[in-house]
Amino acid sequence: MQTCSFNHRVLHDDVFLIDPGKTLDNGNAHEMVQALTNAQTDGFRFVILDLAALEFLSSAGVGSLLGSVDLFREQGGDLILCNVPAPIMHILTVLDLGDFFTIRSNEHEAAVTCGRS
Amino acid sequence: MLSTPKLKDAIVVPAELTGPAEDRFEECLRAVLETCPPTVLLDCAPLQRVTSRHVELLWRTQLRCQRHTTEVRLENPTPGLIRVLTVLDLAELFNCAPLEAEAAPGTAAAGAGPAKANYKDTFGPTDDTVVPASERYGAFLADLPIPELIRFELRTIFYEVANNISQHGGIGDGSPIRFWAEFGSARIIMTFTDTGRAYDPTTADGDFDPRAAAKKRRVRGFGIPMVRRMTDAMSYVRSADDRNILTIVKTWSV
């Protein structure tokens, strides 16, 4: 498996969980793109992003997710966001992304969406 | 008996400076000046977004009126217009009350209560300085009675604009980005000035299609749409000394 610079866990054969930490901005957005690309090439159809600790999401951070989501959807998988804090959800809503991304309230529900529980 | 020239009805300054709209403005001004009024009133209510062309129009009008010894007064100036005229030192010329002076660098104004505060900062155009500057602004906002989500938006706006300038402005390290913020009455006016390449974000498209962006694997270019959607008014002026002056107004309900 390729390296991932964020905290991460393998939840199942095809489900990978990433915790981006407190900030997803210009400083680490490219690392997120790389982490998601690596997960996809490693065979994970689903990536769950646990955003519980996320305090700041810049447009570059949004771009890293938006530019990667179809990697998974085109393979029948998805990029799923869970534990989204209110301010981060607000940013997604402002950009009309609240309905575009698959968003679940917690890791368990996200795993269920991936067909796992 | 001498007749006293009357104040005329205000001439509306058009928001969209298309040929016909600007021609109509010029015709109205010409007709009013032919009556030699002591004062010409310009209704600036439509100027929710102020561009350098609006300022040029106001300046041309001022010069024409001076030749007729006629005073120009602005009616219903928007906060963005006041901010721009203040930064350009033109507020008094237009009999428009300038905004209050800025506070000391990086701090709120001394003695200012939580209902009113000013902030000023200067930082270099690099990632290393934009992030700390964003944190300083966040600390300033934390002491103000602002709803949490609005505070989050304000810090996001700051970060996005500052990053946009530092990454795309082509500014040398010796030329800092200057920032002012004026808080009061459920409103913040933020002004960024820099000496980078001319760029008017008010003309940028605020819309984007998430599905198309995802399909194209697009990872950049969301900053301006984000800022546009979070602000109530935005104005841009390229000053005569080649500075970009971007003013952003954000309001909220109490």
Side-chain angles (χ1 to χ4, degrees), chain B residues 160-182:
Chain B
E160 295 296 339
V161 173
N163 257 307
N164 202 49
I165 294 169
S166 69
Q167 292 187 349
H168 307 298
I171 311 171
D173 284 348
S175 183
I177 299 167
R178 299 184 194 282
F179 175 73
W180 296 262
E182 294 146 19

Side-chain angles (χ1 to χ4, degrees), chain B residues 109-127:
Chain B
K116 200 171 185 180
N118 297 335
Y119 179 83
K120 181 179 179 182
D121 201 359
T122 301
F123 50 96
T126 64
D127 284 349

